[in-house]
Amino acid sequence: MTLDGKAALVTGGSRGIGEAVALGLAEEGADVALTYHSNKERAASVVDRIKALGRRAWAVQADSADPEAVREAVAGAAAEFGRLDILVNNAGTGVLGPVGDLTLEDVDRVLAVNVRAPFLAAQAAAHHLGEGGRIINIGSCMAERVAFPGGSLYSMSKSALTGLTKALARELGPRGITVNLVHPGPVDTDMNPADGESAPMQSGLTALGRYGQPAEIAATVSHLAGDRGRYITGASIAVDGGFAV
Ligand code: NDP
């Protein structure tokens, strides 16, 4: 197991991509903490499955829009496991729509959840991470290529993670910590179901002509988190079926 003895925190780990990431890290040997917003039962079920793999697991309700909740989740995970080696900033909110229809509340919430929270979590985690530490941000294929209208706010929020990732990679590199950004393409989750109205259009925008599965994103996160990913830092990695091509 490549992650034996390591401890991870996955934000938004109760469903979708975050759930697959949490389970993937646990399968590699890590103890895993996760945050969720409101779905306590789903979070508990992920915790049970991680424990069934023989790892420690811990879930905490923490709205990423709340700065204190984000900081407390990081501190709580480190306290629970006595260490923190891997932070996956996955929780995100996808608000799409014509630029004229987006409200100030939309702007504030999307930036709080998709941008401020990853910054604050990374800032808090940096106190705990040591040599071999990992920060992995989950962006979006819409950070690099906006192939249909309605993405002004969401794409802006996700491309902000490029600057965060590169700057942190530069700053934390001397401590042996890597920081990377994974850009999923359309992935079959509650946020973007593969049987949704726009799914055929989104599938058609990929080179492979299909949606991805959460586990296909988790596989790359596990690679980055493990020792085999040790020379990758500051990178934006598309796991998008060729959406960005
Ligand atoms: P889902 O909506 O399926 O799941 C979201 C997860 O994040 C849940 O665990 C949810 O918790 C949690 N969450 C949502 N809002 C908050 C919040 N404010 N505070 C804390 N936790 C929160 O999303 P996906 O799995 O599809 O997306 C995961 C990430 O991947 C996001 O950053 C998204 O932008 C990105 N992404 C997704 C794509 C897709 O096609 N699915 C494509 C590109 C990027 P709870 O269960 O309690 O609600």
Side-chain angles (χ1 to χ4, degrees):
M1 296 285 183
T2 64
L3 298 178
D4 271 347
K6 305 275 188 188
L9 170 63
V10 181
T11 67
S14 52
R15 290 185 287 123
I17 292 170
E19 172 185 8
V21 166
L23 290 167
L25 295 175
E27 280 165 8
E28 295 289 331
D31 295 326
V32 183
L34 54 101
T35 71
Y36 63 96
H37 180 239
S38 47
N39 205 327
K40 193 174 182 177
E41 290 72 28
R42 283 298 296 260
S45 121
V46 178
V47 163
D48 287 345
R49 277 178 286 154
I50 293 170
K51 287 183 176 170
L53 292 167
R55 316 290 166 224
R56 290 184 289 170
W58 181 72
V60 63
Q61 195 280 333
D63 183 356
S64 289
D66 176 350
E68 273 319 302
V70 172
R71 292 187 181 114
E72 284 169 15
V74 173
E80 182 72 18
F81 299 137
R83 59 187 296 149
L84 186 63
D85 305 282
I86 301 157
L87 168 67
V88 183
N89 277 313
N90 164 77
T93 182
V95 178
L96 301 176
V99 65
D101 292 355
L102 297 169
T103 66
L104 186 58
E105 288 72 28
D106 291 331
V107 175
D108 286 346
R109 180 148 185 97
V110 169
L111 293 181
V113 173
N114 291 6
V115 182
R116 187 176 65 189
F119 176 89
L120 293 175
Q123 186 182 49
H127 290 297
H128 302 282
L129 299 175
E131 173 75 30
R134 303 281 191 262
I135 298 174
I136 300 161
N137 298 316
I138 304 298
S140 167
C141 56
M142 289 186 65
E144 303 283 335
R145 179 190 180 211
V146 187
F148 49 87
S152 57
L153 178 56
Y154 183 67
S155 296
M156 174 174 72
S157 73
K158 290 300 189 177
S159 53
L161 297 177
T162 304
L164 175 66
T165 299
K166 290 184 178 186
L168 286 179
R170 186 63 74 183
E171 188 168 327
L172 300 179
R175 291 170 48 194
I177 298 166
T178 71
V179 188
N180 290 292
L181 176 57
V182 172
H183 287 312
V187 176
D188 185 17
T189 66
D190 295 337
M191 180 189 280
N192 187 10
D195 59 0
E197 200 181 322
S198 68
M201 178 273 289
Q202 292 187 56
S203 292
L205 289 166
T206 68
L208 293 178
R210 68 167 177 87
Y211 265 50
Q213 293 301 317
E216 293 175 312
I217 310 304
T220 295
V221 172
S222 287
H223 178 75
L224 291 169
D227 190 53
R228 288 171 300 163
R230 65 187 176 272
Y231 200 57
I232 306 170
T233 196
S236 296
I237 299 167
V239 187
D240 66 356
F243 182 98
V245 170

